[in-house]
């Protein structure tokens, strides 16, 4: 069982380079007590790509989650900016 929810959604935009990217991650419990780290990324408004990592222990998933978070912060990703809220494709925002 997951001790606490882990979810992240960050964006990187640069209008001068026509860049509008998102990166999302979450950790969820799956069958038989294993843990799955799901990553999704791509251009904002597009379907993008996804990858899943399976772990036996939550600690290992959290370690990778934090490593990827630090990597994205260094590359310029941050919280949503601007007045318009949007998430990964296929999600609805109120």
């Amino acid at each position: 069982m997951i001790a606490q929810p882990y979810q992240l959604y960050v964006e990187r935009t640069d209008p001068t380079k026509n860049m509008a990217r998102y990166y999302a991650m979450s950790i969820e419990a799956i069958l038989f007590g294993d843990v799955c780290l799901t990553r999704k990324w791509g251009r904002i408004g597009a379907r993008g790509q996804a990858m899943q990592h399976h772990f036996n222990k939550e600690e290992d998933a959290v370690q990778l989650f934090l490593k990827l978070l630090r990597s994205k912060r260094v590359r310029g990703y941050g919280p949503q900016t601007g007045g318009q809220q949007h998430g990964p494709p296929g999600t609805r925002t109120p």
Side-chain angles (χ1 to χ4, degrees), residues 32-47:
F32 308 114
D34 288 345
V35 178
C36 179
L37 169 64
T38 303
R39 304 191 291 159
K40 298 178 182 180
W41 67 92
R43 184 167 177 82
I44 294 172
R47 183 171 171 189

Side-chain angles (χ1 to χ4, degrees), residues 3 11-12 14 18 25 29 45 50 53 57 64 66-67 72-73 75 79:
E11 295 179 350
R12 181 178 177 195
D14 185 349
N18 193 26
M25 291 189 292
H53 304 270
K57 298 188 306 185
L64 180 58
L66 294 173
K67 178 182 174 184
K72 294 304 167 189
R73 294 282 184 196
R75 296 195 59 148

Side-chain angles (χ1 to χ4, degrees), residues 2-54:
I2 302 286
Q4 67 180 27
Y6 290 91
Q7 292 186 329
L8 172 74
Y9 177 83
V10 290
E11 295 179 350
R12 181 178 177 195
T13 57
D14 185 349
T16 62
K17 296 179 182 178
N18 193 26
M19 180 192 311
R21 299 178 184 164
Y22 73 90
Y23 194 86
M25 291 189 292
S26 65
I27 297 177
E28 299 170 354
I30 56 175
L31 292 176
F32 308 114
D34 288 345
V35 178
C36 179
L37 169 64
T38 303
R39 304 191 291 159
K40 298 178 182 180
W41 67 92
R43 184 167 177 82
I44 294 172
R47 183 171 171 189
Q49 299 180 42
M51 180 181 287
Q52 291 185 334
H53 304 270
H54 297 273

